Amino acid sequence: MAGSTLGIIYRITTWGESHGPGLGVVVDGCPAGLSLTANDIQTYLDRRRPGQSHISTPRKEADAVEILSGTFEGKTTGTPISLLVRNTSQHSGDYTAIANCYRPGHADYTFDRKYGLRDYRGGGRSSGRETIGRVAAGAIAAKVLSEFGIRLTAYTRSIGPISINPNAFDPDAIRETVTAMPDKEASAMAEKFLADCMSSYDSAGGVIECVIDGVPAGLGDPVFEKLDANLAKAVMSVGAVKAVEIGDGTEVSTRHGSDNNDAFRLRNGRITKTSNHAGGILGGISDGSQIVLRAHIKPTPSIFSPQDTVNRDGEEITISIKGRHDPVIVPRAVVVVESMAAITLLDALLVNASARIDYLKNIYKN
Amino acid sequence: MAGSTLGIIYRITTWGESHGPGLGVVVDGCPAGLSLTANDIQTYLDRRRPGQSHISTPRKEADAVEILSGTFEGKTTGTPISLLVRNTSQHSGDYTAIANCYRPGHADYTFDRKYGLRDYRGGGRSSGRETIGRVAAGAIAAKVLSEFGIRLTAYTRSIGPISINPNAFDPDAIRETVTAMPDKEASAMAEKFLADCMSSYDSAGGVIECVIDGVPAGLGDPVFEKLDANLAKAVMSVGAVKAVEIGDGTEVSTRHGSDNNDAFRLRNGRITKTSNHAGGILGGISDGSQIVLRAHIKPTPSIFSPQDTVNRDGEEITISIKGRHDPVIVPRAVVVVESMAAITLLDALLVNASARIDYLKNIYKN
Amino acid sequence: MAGSTLGIIYRITTWGESHGPGLGVVVDGCPAGLSLTANDIQTYLDRRRPGQSHISTPRKEADAVEILSGTFEGKTTGTPISLLVRNTSQHSGDYTAIANCYRPGHADYTFDRKYGLRDYRGGGRSSGRETIGRVAAGAIAAKVLSEFGIRLTAYTRSIGPISINPNAFDPDAIRETVTAMPDKEASAMAEKFLADCMSSYDSAGGVIECVIDGVPAGLGDPVFEKLDANLAKAVMSVGAVKAVEIGDGTEVSTRHGSDNNDAFRLRNGRITKTSNHAGGILGGISDGSQIVLRAHIKPTPSIFSPQDTVNRDGEEITISIKGRHDPVIVPRAVVVVESMAAITLLDALLVNASARIDYLKNIYKN
Amino acid sequence: MAGSTLGIIYRITTWGESHGPGLGVVVDGCPAGLSLTANDIQTYLDRRRPGQSHISTPRKEADAVEILSGTFEGKTTGTPISLLVRNTSQHSGDYTAIANCYRPGHADYTFDRKYGLRDYRGGGRSSGRETIGRVAAGAIAAKVLSEFGIRLTAYTRSIGPISINPNAFDPDAIRETVTAMPDKEASAMAEKFLADCMSSYDSAGGVIECVIDGVPAGLGDPVFEKLDANLAKAVMSVGAVKAVEIGDGTEVSTRHGSDNNDAFRLRNGRITKTSNHAGGILGGISDGSQIVLRAHIKPTPSIFSPQDTVNRDGEEITISIKGRHDPVIVPRAVVVVESMAAITLLDALLVNASARIDYLKNIYKN
């Protein structure tokens, strides 16, 4: 099925395999009149690029984006924006050993069962490189949202057992640390933890948090197009995510209503909440507070340690996965989670433009 | 926006307010030839019906379903199945006090901000009664799935601090306990805990788990229509859910790859996994193992204890919510989570029918 | 498949069979804040009601609509509007003769081939009564459009060989004649023609025209969501329509560019076209002129004259269709075409609200 | 809005402007296991390529397609197939004269009104080159359909006043004549007619017919996803199409039921129709007969003759459109109409795979 398209108005369609000619995305429904250059997108792609630190795969990929359509004289025209990133660093030879076997924790087996065949080179469509299209589309979404004063900030909250100290939150550290943690001390500890993982041929997971400021109240639609439901889908659709939380998330199940409800009060004459357990969403609709979400990421399934598995011919074998892999994908996935949140929020903002007769009169009576 | 429709092939559209004439759902895309009676649906609706125990709202609603279309001589015809449940027990008088105020933890404020007005009676569209349409559609989905040997089992895993003992799992207890816990001892403790909540005018949350057996490998589509992404959306779209986990969920973030990967082995000549940390889904596609998901439910926001809030006129007030409310919604939400899982899984199964040329030849060469 | 849902933002889902308990529609995505009563909808339904003249089926159906959700204190709330019309005049006995046979020109055979079974009573889902949901949704769409000064006018342009005289166009006549022709003289001739049809146990077809005034320029989206493409789909989806024309339609194929192009000029300082061969749409987007479309309707397939056919058992038979049928469906289909045009145009108007950054700033900077 | 995506299961997303870096399409939902090479697609693209005869624009475009994803070892993998055609022959200098003016019959004015700006080079997104994506996707669709014995044949039925003689139908002539007429004599007359058009600086329109053989009964869905409704949308969405007919089309409005109904009879033990006025579709569902549709194409709006119009500054001007234009687009549009029909039919075939419980059991019980 057509599983590579997401969104109602801001609709993105990604494509591409790890070792094919390239990857990309078509972004349809971007409003006309936005200033946009390749550099706006490249900045985001560079945040997910491999080969930038000792805790990321040593593969070097330029991942340079080309805008193929949808802009004219530096502005979006309202027509589809097609973005292309050519693959340049494929070492297909690295992967022939796994052509016939089912790597534990990967999608090799399920793709084979679903389609009867698969592009086994580097995971094909299930490779982490698939997120290039997401990030490129997220960069554009974030730029549109910034026009309305909406800002997204994602970061690593934990790697393995090492969590950031919320009281030491340093936003600049997100870009300065190799872990994307907003806490340099925690980051140093995480680096040490990861060095241990690598030396024992193993891998680690972690938690990514994304907060969104400046969101007007009223975004999201009741029942199935709730903002939290769509955020959950968007974030869970990223490979390796196994849990999604909104606001206080799993903690709410052990609370009392009297602890968990956020009281409304006035601040400077505006209605506001005195706490934000809800994470900025009530009844699936943004309430004007900061939106907060978390994604729990599993450890990289590709490890050097030997593992039991089965091959396509139905034989039990043991494999040791060679190649260039991240010991943890969390730092590079931070921008992916931020992008998915931006895409989802922008779609809700665009859809909401037609929710009220008075909104429409602002447009059609001008 | 049209937020009340879900699904690609099995497409459901729910409608209705707590205190309007009724609620219902149109189920389109149900395959033709399924035996279906109103009783199949009523059985599910009865599981979410209020007034069945001392830990549920004392409102009595018959919630009797009428099939208005889509079946003929006891079989589905392939055309839309329209289901109607009339509201019969509305006490609008109970709600006039809150017409003008924004209850903490509810969607009153966000609906007002989004639409400029709202049906305040009993929460209107954001009432828990909105789930009637979901459960009716879920009953049909579950019946279709059963034709293919797929069985869903949902239950309460915890209420407040009281969790079931997995080693004492008793499936019969799910229907026999008022908590929907598969563990009578835990259920008794949870009842005691809830009695304390009620006596202190407070409420509680909990966790619902759903397992699905008999799922063939290959369901779900890569990238955005991943099975876990759609399950996350479906379950997060249920009011009061604040986190969704697949398989081992949040626990994976502190694991190593060597602990978290599920090895493939042969059992009776068939490929199988020796563990199921992944919860039955790899790369967004079912792997033939049991699917496992959990929903974390916040405490009922309606409590008798006084709360600070603001009214529509922008005045700070204190309210104490009267009326008939559940101290915990978890037991009644179990069938809702099960229904959403069934709806999502069936859609994936139907969509997958056209994934391969050889599948299509099975149909069109007959 | 879920074929009973139409639209992106203004999304309607119809359901119901000719001889089931009832028919209806769920209208989702209607903007909040519109005044709406059952009478607004009933007025439209009354225009398609049978039994109103000697050229329509003598079946009497009250077709009284009930609003089940989506309004509060006389205004739309932004949530789904569910509308129900109970069937009251089913004579199932009339149809048992055709339970097993395939009526020429009807969908009996194709439904059986598609689904393996069918509700044969009165055509089931393929009955003309299916249009009740369309007309109910169209009434609401037309009311929203009227808020923006957009007015739709549909009428019978011809019945069999009898066409209206455009120079004698009398808008009042549309509601005053039994043919829905805006020309009383032509209508009288058409009545005579139809009397002849009936006396020879035969039926007739005709042409419906719909014009739309007051449409702002800019509605419709390039490529696949062109306004004319969606109008064509919407109108062709009405049973018995076999051709759709926009503007000068089929005539353009024999024209020269110099004859067919509409020149732009200024009128009262505004850009306007000096002719309207294009029918108000250029490149799939409304150009501010009157939108013009036509639907060609086949003669009613149910006729008393004997016809050759085959039954379910594969036997060749001759049938003569008894029962209460319209000798021509054109007059009653006028409001159906108008409704489909209204639904399509409203959706384009709502979708267009998010097309430009400056539109969005009108909403979100308020 | 996202207007560049079409289809439910076989979902295509086109992108690109006439004078941007290139054009293309992402084809998602193509079943896995189809043999596919770039040559399969190039063959179709070559049929719409300009510069191949004296009645087509002298622009030379290689329009060479590159497959960027979705195939592996010569077979489709079920993942999105991204296709790219680079623009190579843009003469932007040709178009600067029209940057500021609204060409009659073109979308310049409506794009400006919709988006506030436009890519004016060669029509930008509203250029005929936009159809490259449609044809590339149509080539794949036709190849899938051929696996099920379904064959599409489109041709020019008339150019201006010159129509083919149905009794002289010669299928080989479609590819051999520059007009794509299946009648060499008519083609020669049409060429003469077009030479006259060109010498008087004018243009012509025409009619394209498409017939589809081998379609199984049962494709298409009731109500809004009727096969004829979707064909009408798909074909009307092609620029310059102003009317769409199915089967006998506009002629049916003057017929009697007794003339227009197609009788069912047995032929070689199979149910068949003795005539095909319906054009292979009854109640929106294929009936197993040949599907017949026609598109009426307006004359090319770009003509050398001077025309009145208005520019962006609101001044009345006279323009004479220079550049390289087809005097008639019909011959090159033949493959576009065929492609749109193929795309639509394939989607209906894929969607129908899940219509019946017994179909599904063919797949899931294997």
Side-chain angles (χ1 to χ4, degrees):
Chain A
M1 210 284 304
S4 292
T5 297
L6 184 73
I8 294 163
I9 298 287
Y10 188 75
R11 187 178 284 178
I12 72 169
T13 301
T14 73
W15 56 268
E17 276 83 34
S18 172
H19 283 58
L23 303 105
V25 63
V26 181
V27 174
D28 204 1
C30 183
L34 177 77
S35 294
L36 186 74
T37 66
N39 191 52
D40 292 320
I41 300 157
Q42 193 65 52
T43 305
Y44 267 65
L45 287 175
D46 289 350
R47 290 170 60 196
R48 73 161 295 291
R49 208 174 55 195
Q52 302 186 99
S53 84
H54 59 283
I55 63 162
S56 138
T57 167
R59 280 197 315 270
K60 295 277 181 203
E61 295 268 5
D63 287 351
V65 71
E66 182 184 7
I67 300 180
L68 294 173
S69 68
T71 65
F72 184 60
E73 299 179 342
K75 283 190 184 288
T76 58
T77 60
T79 61
I81 304 168
S82 181
L83 302 173
L84 169 64
V85 170
R86 290 271 178 187
N87 284 323
T88 57
S89 172
Q90 310 99 316
H91 294 216
S92 288
D94 290 353
Y95 294 96
T96 46
I98 54 116
N100 193 35
C101 87
Y102 296 136
R103 291 169 298 165
H106 278 284
D108 303 336
Y109 173 67
T110 53
F111 267 64
D112 250 19
R113 288 295 301 271
K114 182 175 191 75
Y115 296 118
L117 79 170
R118 75 180 201 278
D119 179 348
Y120 50 76
R121 301 166 304 166
R125 183 72 177 142
S126 72
S127 163
R129 284 187 69 70
E130 170 262 308
T131 59
I132 284 177
R134 300 173 185 251
V135 172
I140 300 175
K143 183 134 201 221
V144 178
L145 290 171
S146 74
E147 293 276 320
F148 302 96
I150 301 171
R151 299 169 307 285
L152 298 101
T153 311
Y155 45 85
T156 299
R157 190 182 157 96
S158 68
I159 287 179
I162 317 295
S163 290
I164 60 167
N165 175 357
N167 299 322
F169 195 98
D170 170 10
D172 293 337
I174 299 170
R175 306 292 169 93
E176 294 168 3
T177 59
V178 295
T179 58
M181 280 178 155
D183 174 346
K184 289 185 182 175
E185 204 171 323
S187 183
M189 291 168 65
E191 283 191 72
K192 188 169 292 181
F193 169 76
L194 290 170
D196 289 348
C197 275
M198 290 165 85
S199 66
S200 56
Y201 300 144
D202 216 334
S203 63
V207 176
I208 294 169
E209 190 161 70
C210 180
V211 300
I212 319 178
D213 293 284
V215 181
L219 307 191
D221 285 274
V223 188
F224 301 124
E225 300 297 328
K226 284 176 171 157
L227 186 54
D228 41 2
N230 278 326
L231 287 169
K233 172 172 179 167
V235 171
M236 190 70 93
S237 77
V238 178
V241 175
K242 299 302 286 183
V244 179
E245 299 180 280
I246 303 291
D248 288 354
T250 58
E251 287 187 25
V252 304
S253 61
T254 52
R255 294 241 185 82
H256 288 294
S258 57
D259 306 322
N260 194 58
N261 286 345
D262 302 310
F264 290 106
R265 289 278 98 173
L266 297 175
R267 191 153 48 191
N268 304 325
R270 295 188 52 180
I271 295 175
T272 185
K273 288 154 48 195
T274 57
S275 57
N276 190 21
H277 302 301
I281 302 174
L282 284 171
I285 301 172
S286 63
D287 66 14
S289 308
Q290 186 183 59
I291 291 176
V292 181
L293 66 88
R294 276 177 304 287
H296 294 255
I297 312 275
K298 74 176 183 182
T300 314
S302 291
I303 54 175
F304 289 89
S305 296
Q307 298 182 85
D308 287 344
T309 191
V310 170
N311 66 19
R312 269 202 100 172
D313 303 323
E315 298 163 332
E316 299 193 334
I317 58 173
T318 299
I319 59 163
S320 169
I321 300 176
K322 305 214 165 44
R324 303 161 298 171
H325 302 289
D326 298 274
V328 67
I329 66 161
V330 171
R332 292 179 56 207
V334 163
V335 70
V336 180
V337 168
E338 187 176 311
S339 293
M340 294 311 297
I343 290 162
T344 304
L345 193 64
L346 175 56
D347 198 38
L349 181 138
L350 296 177
V351 161
N352 186 58
S354 56
R356 292 164 59 159
I357 292 284
D358 55 350
Y359 286 176
L360 296 163
K361 292 205 167 166
N362 279 338
I363 293 167
Y364 292 108
K365 284 291 159 80
N366 277 344
Chain B
M1 211 285 303
S4 293
T5 297
L6 185 73
I8 294 163
I9 297 287
Y10 188 75
R11 188 178 282 177
I12 71 169
T13 301
T14 74
W15 56 269
E17 277 82 35
S18 172
H19 283 58
L23 303 105
V25 64
V26 182
V27 174
D28 204 1
C30 183
L34 178 78
S35 295
L36 186 74
T37 67
N39 192 54
D40 292 319
I41 300 158
Q42 195 64 52
T43 305
Y44 267 65
L45 287 174
D46 289 350
R47 289 171 59 196
R48 73 161 294 292
R49 210 173 55 196
Q52 302 187 99
S53 84
H54 59 284
I55 64 162
S56 141
T57 168
R59 282 195 313 271
K60 296 276 184 205
E61 295 269 4
D63 289 347
V65 70
E66 181 184 8
I67 299 180
L68 294 173
S69 67
T71 63
F72 184 60
E73 297 179 345
K75 284 189 184 287
T76 58
T77 60
T79 62
I81 304 167
S82 180
L83 302 173
L84 169 65
V85 170
R86 292 271 178 188
N87 285 323
T88 55
S89 172
Q90 309 100 317
H91 293 216
S92 288
D94 289 354
Y95 294 95
T96 47
I98 55 116
N100 194 35
C101 87
Y102 296 136
R103 292 169 297 165
H106 277 284
D108 302 337
Y109 173 67
T110 53
F111 267 65
D112 249 20
R113 287 296 299 274
K114 182 175 191 75
Y115 296 118
L117 79 170
R118 76 179 199 279
D119 180 347
Y120 51 75
R121 300 167 303 168
R125 183 70 175 143
S126 71
S127 163
R129 285 187 69 69
E130 169 262 311
T131 59
I132 284 176
R134 299 173 185 250
V135 172
I140 299 174
K143 184 136 201 219
V144 179
L145 290 171
S146 73
E147 293 277 321
F148 302 96
I150 300 172
R151 300 169 306 285
L152 299 101
T153 312
Y155 45 84
T156 299
R157 189 181 156 98
S158 68
I159 287 178
I162 316 296
S163 291
I164 60 168
N165 175 0
N167 299 320
F169 195 97
D170 170 10
D172 293 338
I174 300 171
R175 305 293 169 91
E176 293 169 3
T177 59
V178 294
T179 58
M181 280 177 155
D183 172 347
K184 289 185 181 174
E185 203 170 323
S187 183
M189 291 168 65
E191 283 191 73
K192 186 170 294 182
F193 168 77
L194 289 170
D196 289 348
C197 275
M198 291 166 84
S199 67
S200 56
Y201 300 145
D202 216 333
S203 63
V207 177
I208 294 169
E209 190 162 68
C210 181
V211 299
I212 319 178
D213 293 284
V215 181
L219 307 191
D221 286 274
V223 188
F224 301 124
E225 300 298 329
K226 283 175 172 156
L227 187 53
D228 40 2
N230 278 327
L231 286 169
K233 172 173 179 165
V235 171
M236 190 70 94
S237 78
V238 177
V241 175
K242 299 302 285 185
V244 179
E245 299 180 279
I246 303 291
D248 288 355
T250 59
E251 286 186 26
V252 303
S253 61
T254 51
R255 293 242 184 82
H256 289 293
S258 58
D259 304 325
N260 194 60
N261 286 344
D262 300 312
F264 289 105
R265 290 278 99 174
L266 297 175
R267 192 153 47 195
N268 304 324
R270 294 189 52 182
I271 295 176
T272 185
K273 288 155 47 198
T274 57
S275 57
N276 189 20
H277 301 303
I281 301 175
L282 283 171
I285 302 172
S286 63
D287 66 14
S289 308
Q290 185 183 61
I291 290 176
V292 181
L293 65 89
R294 277 176 304 286
H296 293 255
I297 312 274
K298 74 176 184 182
T300 315
S302 291
I303 55 176
F304 289 91
S305 296
Q307 299 182 84
D308 288 343
T309 193
V310 171
N311 67 18
R312 269 203 100 170
D313 303 323
E315 298 163 333
E316 299 193 334
I317 58 173
T318 299
I319 59 164
S320 170
I321 299 175
K322 305 211 167 45
R324 305 160 296 171
H325 304 289
D326 298 274
V328 67
I329 66 162
V330 171
R332 291 178 57 208
V334 163
V335 70
V336 180
V337 169
E338 186 175 311
S339 293
M340 294 311 296
I343 290 162
T344 304
L345 192 65
L346 175 57
D347 198 38
L349 181 137
L350 297 176
V351 161
N352 187 58
S354 56
R356 293 164 62 158
I357 292 283
D358 56 349
Y359 286 176
L360 296 163
K361 291 204 168 167
N362 279 338
I363 294 166
Y364 292 108
K365 286 289 159 79
N366 278 345
Chain C
M1 212 285 302
S4 292
T5 297
L6 185 73
I8 294 163
I9 298 287
Y10 188 76
R11 190 179 280 178
I12 72 169
T13 301
T14 73
W15 56 268
E17 277 82 36
S18 172
H19 283 58
L23 304 106
V25 64
V26 181
V27 174
D28 204 359
C30 184
L34 178 79
S35 295
L36 185 74
T37 66
N39 192 52
D40 292 320
I41 300 158
Q42 194 63 54
T43 306
Y44 266 66
L45 287 175
D46 289 349
R47 288 170 60 196
R48 74 160 293 293
R49 209 174 55 198
Q52 302 186 101
S53 83
H54 59 284
I55 64 162
S56 138
T57 167
R59 283 195 314 271
K60 296 277 182 203
E61 295 268 5
D63 288 348
V65 70
E66 182 183 8
I67 299 180
L68 293 174
S69 68
T71 65
F72 183 60
E73 299 180 345
K75 283 189 185 287
T76 58
T77 60
T79 61
I81 305 167
S82 180
L83 303 173
L84 169 65
V85 170
R86 291 272 178 188
N87 285 323
T88 56
S89 172
Q90 309 100 316
H91 293 217
S92 288
D94 291 352
Y95 294 95
T96 45
I98 53 118
N100 194 34
C101 87
Y102 296 136
R103 292 170 297 164
H106 278 283
D108 304 335
Y109 173 67
T110 53
F111 267 65
D112 248 19
R113 287 296 300 272
K114 182 174 191 74
Y115 295 118
L117 80 171
R118 73 181 201 278
D119 180 348
Y120 52 75
R121 300 165 303 165
R125 183 71 176 143
S126 72
S127 163
R129 284 186 71 69
E130 169 262 311
T131 60
I132 283 176
R134 300 173 185 250
V135 171
I140 299 173
K143 183 135 201 220
V144 178
L145 290 171
S146 73
E147 293 277 319
F148 302 96
I150 301 172
R151 300 170 307 285
L152 298 102
T153 311
Y155 44 85
T156 299
R157 190 181 155 99
S158 68
I159 286 178
I162 316 295
S163 290
I164 60 167
N165 175 359
N167 299 322
F169 195 97
D170 170 10
D172 294 338
I174 299 170
R175 306 292 170 91
E176 293 169 3
T177 60
V178 295
T179 58
M181 279 176 156
D183 172 348
K184 290 186 180 172
E185 202 170 326
S187 183
M189 290 168 66
E191 283 192 72
K192 186 170 292 181
F193 168 77
L194 290 169
D196 288 349
C197 275
M198 292 166 85
S199 67
S200 55
Y201 299 143
D202 216 332
S203 63
V207 177
I208 294 169
E209 191 162 66
C210 180
V211 299
I212 318 177
D213 292 284
V215 181
L219 307 190
D221 286 274
V223 187
F224 301 125
E225 299 298 328
K226 284 176 172 158
L227 186 54
D228 41 2
N230 278 326
L231 286 169
K233 174 172 177 166
V235 171
M236 190 70 93
S237 77
V238 177
V241 175
K242 299 301 286 184
V244 178
E245 299 180 280
I246 302 292
D248 288 355
T250 58
E251 286 187 25
V252 303
S253 62
T254 52
R255 292 241 185 85
H256 289 293
S258 58
D259 304 325
N260 194 59
N261 286 345
D262 300 312
F264 289 107
R265 290 279 98 173
L266 297 175
R267 192 153 47 192
N268 304 324
R270 295 190 50 183
I271 295 175
T272 186
K273 287 153 49 195
T274 57
S275 57
N276 189 20
H277 301 303
I281 301 173
L282 283 170
I285 302 171
S286 63
D287 65 15
S289 308
Q290 186 183 60
I291 290 176
V292 181
L293 66 88
R294 277 177 302 287
H296 294 255
I297 312 275
K298 74 176 183 181
T300 315
S302 290
I303 54 176
F304 289 91
S305 296
Q307 298 180 84
D308 287 344
T309 192
V310 170
N311 66 19
R312 269 201 102 171
D313 304 322
E315 299 163 332
E316 299 193 334
I317 58 172
T318 299
I319 59 164
S320 170
I321 300 175
K322 304 217 165 42
R324 303 161 297 171
H325 303 287
D326 298 274
V328 66
I329 65 162
V330 171
R332 291 178 58 207
V334 162
V335 71
V336 180
V337 169
E338 187 175 311
S339 293
M340 294 310 297
I343 289 162
T344 304
L345 192 64
L346 176 57
D347 197 40
L349 182 138
L350 297 176
V351 161
N352 187 58
S354 56
R356 293 164 61 159
I357 292 283
D358 55 350
Y359 286 176
L360 295 163
K361 292 205 167 165
N362 280 338
I363 293 167
Y364 292 108
K365 286 289 159 79
N366 277 344
Chain D
M1 208 287 302
S4 292
T5 297
L6 184 72
I8 294 162
I9 297 286
Y10 188 75
R11 189 179 282 179
I12 71 169
T13 301
T14 73
W15 57 269
E17 277 82 36
S18 172
H19 283 58
L23 303 107
V25 63
V26 181
V27 174
D28 204 1
C30 183
L34 179 78
S35 295
L36 185 74
T37 66
N39 192 53
D40 292 320
I41 300 159
Q42 195 63 53
T43 306
Y44 266 66
L45 287 175
D46 289 350
R47 289 170 59 195
R48 74 159 294 291
R49 209 173 56 197
Q52 302 187 102
S53 82
H54 59 283
I55 63 162
S56 140
T57 167
R59 281 195 316 271
K60 295 276 181 205
E61 296 268 5
D63 289 349
V65 71
E66 182 184 8
I67 300 180
L68 294 173
S69 68
T71 64
F72 184 60
E73 299 180 342
K75 284 190 183 287
T76 58
T77 60
T79 62
I81 305 167
S82 180
L83 303 173
L84 168 64
V85 170
R86 291 270 178 188
N87 284 322
T88 56
S89 171
Q90 310 100 318
H91 294 216
S92 288
D94 291 352
Y95 294 97
T96 48
I98 54 116
N100 194 34
C101 88
Y102 296 136
R103 291 169 298 165
H106 278 283
D108 304 336
Y109 173 67
T110 53
F111 267 65
D112 250 20
R113 288 295 302 271
K114 182 175 192 74
Y115 295 117
L117 80 169
R118 75 180 201 280
D119 180 348
Y120 50 76
R121 299 167 305 166
R125 183 70 176 142
S126 72
S127 162
R129 285 187 68 69
E130 169 262 310
T131 58
I132 284 176
R134 301 173 184 251
V135 172
I140 300 174
K143 183 134 201 222
V144 179
L145 291 171
S146 73
E147 294 276 321
F148 302 95
I150 301 172
R151 298 169 308 284
L152 299 101
T153 312
Y155 45 83
T156 300
R157 190 181 156 98
S158 67
I159 287 178
I162 316 296
S163 291
I164 59 166
N165 175 358
N167 299 322
F169 195 98
D170 170 11
D172 294 337
I174 299 171
R175 306 292 169 92
E176 294 168 3
T177 59
V178 295
T179 57
M181 281 176 154
D183 171 347
K184 290 186 180 173
E185 201 172 326
S187 183
M189 290 168 65
E191 281 192 72
K192 188 170 291 182
F193 168 76
L194 290 171
D196 288 349
C197 275
M198 292 166 84
S199 67
S200 56
Y201 301 143
D202 217 334
S203 63
V207 176
I208 294 168
E209 191 161 69
C210 181
V211 299
I212 318 177
D213 292 284
V215 182
L219 306 191
D221 285 275
V223 188
F224 301 125
E225 300 297 329
K226 283 174 172 158
L227 186 54
D228 39 3
N230 278 326
L231 287 169
K233 173 173 179 167
V235 170
M236 190 70 94
S237 78
V238 177
V241 175
K242 299 301 287 183
V244 179
E245 300 181 278
I246 303 292
D248 289 354
T250 58
E251 286 186 27
V252 302
S253 61
T254 52
R255 293 240 185 84
H256 289 293
S258 58
D259 305 325
N260 195 58
N261 286 345
D262 301 311
F264 289 106
R265 289 279 100 173
L266 297 175
R267 191 153 48 193
N268 303 325
R270 295 189 50 182
I271 295 176
T272 186
K273 289 154 47 195
T274 57
S275 57
N276 189 20
H277 302 302
I281 302 174
L282 283 170
I285 301 171
S286 64
D287 65 13
S289 308
Q290 185 183 60
I291 290 178
V292 181
L293 65 88
R294 278 177 302 286
H296 293 254
I297 312 275
K298 74 176 183 182
T300 315
S302 291
I303 54 176
F304 289 91
S305 296
Q307 298 181 84
D308 288 343
T309 192
V310 171
N311 66 19
R312 270 202 101 173
D313 304 322
E315 298 163 333
E316 299 193 333
I317 58 171
T318 299
I319 59 163
S320 169
I321 299 175
K322 304 213 165 43
R324 302 161 299 172
H325 303 289
D326 299 274
V328 66
I329 65 161
V330 171
R332 291 178 58 207
V334 163
V335 70
V336 181
V337 169
E338 187 175 310
S339 293
M340 295 309 298
I343 290 162
T344 304
L345 192 64
L346 176 56
D347 198 39
L349 181 138
L350 296 177
V351 161
N352 187 58
S354 56
R356 293 163 61 159
I357 293 284
D358 55 350
Y359 286 175
L360 295 163
K361 292 204 166 166
N362 279 338
I363 293 167
Y364 292 108
K365 287 288 161 77
N366 277 343

